[in-house]
Every structure is written in structure tokens, then in C-alpha cells.
Amino acid sequence: MGNSTSSSLGKSATAPVNQIQETISDNCVVIFSKTSCTYCTMAKKLFHDMNVNYKVVELDMLEHGSQFQDALYKMTGERTVPRIFVNGTFIGGATDTHRLHKEGKLLPLVHQCYLKKSKRKEFQ
Ligand SMILES: N[C@@H](CCC(=O)N[C@@H](CS)C(=O)NCC(=O)O)C(=O)O
Ligand code: FES
């Protein structure tokens, strides 16, 4: 389901905020998650069921996971999981993401990101 848990995150000396920023600009959908969290599983399932690839960062598997949660707190105002970013922007936790989906707004955000990336490729 989905793609890999990050292997590089948490290992470099770069500040967590910068590592997070790099991850969300490289991937259209990023879910900061914990392996034990049912809300997180539900969020992954939502994207999986829409056939959308997502990047998962399992914070409880990172050596410095709590520092990443602190960084997410600075960036989003909460250190809870899941914290979900689409097209480089924080869209909310599990509840917010399901609401966006119900309102029909989630997939357009993902498609905006795909479009942006395919345009970029045309100019390479
Ligand atoms: N309404 C929020 C609830 C988020 C929440 O309460 N998350 C809990 C786990 S389900 C949490 O992060 N607890 C603190 C922690 O794990 O560090 C959402 O939908 O994302
Ligand atoms: S649902 Fe319990 S930890 Fe997230």
C-alpha cells in the first residue's frame, strides 16, 4: 500500500524543518504518521482508495521522531498525527482530510500538483 517509509529522514544533520520542507516539495502527498495510529491508517487508506501515491513518514520509527513532531508543531500548530501535506501545503489531520475529500476538494489538489510536475518536466 502506498510507497516507502522514508529512509533518509532523521538521519542527516539538516534541521528537521528543512528536511520536512524538502520532503513535502518532492512529493505531492506526504503523511506524517505513526505505525500504531488507526487515524493514520485511515488517512493512508483514503489516498490508497483514490489510487494516489503517497509518501509516509512513520515518526515512531525515526530516531529523532519527537524532534520532527516539534518541527511539525512549528509548521502546522499541532504535533499530533497524522499531519498531511498535499502539493506542498499542510491540509490538516485525518478529520480535515476526510472532510476535504467529502467536499470533493482533495483530488483537485493532488491533480494540481501532478500538473505542476508534468509542466516542469516539459521544460527540462
Ligand atoms: N482530529 C485530529 C486528531 C489527531 C490526534 O489526536 N492524534 C493523536 C493520535 S490519534 C496524536 O497525535 N497524539 C499525540 C502523539 O501521538 O504524539 C486528526 O484528525 O488528525
Ligand atoms: S488513532 Fe489512536 S493513535 Fe491515532
Side-chain angles (χ1 to χ4, degrees), residues 29-95:
V29 178
V30 183
I31 304 177
F32 291 91
S33 166
K34 289 190 181 181
T35 53
S36 55
C37 169
T38 313
Y39 274 22
C40 302
T41 307
M42 276 163 28
K44 293 171 202 168
K45 185 175 178 338
L46 180 67
F47 288 101
H48 175 80
D49 291 348
M50 295 193 299
N51 276 323
V52 168
N53 272 332
Y54 52 87
K55 168 103 179 166
V56 182
V57 180
E58 301 289 10
L59 295 166
D60 56 346
M61 296 286 125
L62 294 183
E63 203 178 329
H64 302 291
S66 75
Q67 285 177 26
F68 281 84
Q69 279 185 275
D70 292 342
L72 286 166
Y73 175 73
K74 276 188 207 142
M75 297 167 78
T76 71
E78 297 274 1
R79 66 197 310 290
T80 56
V81 285
R83 302 271 84 198
I84 301 171
F85 293 78
V86 175
N87 195 11
T89 306
F90 173 64
I91 62 160
T95 315

Side-chain angles (χ1 to χ4, degrees), residues 3-12 14-32 54-59 62 68 72 75 83 85-89 113 117 120:
N3 39 29
S4 63
T5 302
S6 175
S7 49
S8 59
L9 225 86
K11 290 193 180 144
S12 100
T14 318
V17 170
N18 296 346
Q19 289 190 52
I20 291 169
Q21 251 144 14
E22 201 179 302
T23 307
I24 63 178
S25 71
D26 284 352
N27 299 278
C28 283
V29 178
V30 183
I31 304 177
F32 291 91
Y54 52 87
K55 168 103 179 166
V56 182
V57 180
E58 301 289 10
L59 295 166
L62 294 183
F68 281 84
L72 286 166
M75 297 167 78
R83 302 271 84 198
F85 293 78
V86 175
N87 195 11
T89 306
C113 183
K117 283 198 193 291
R120 226 180 264 157

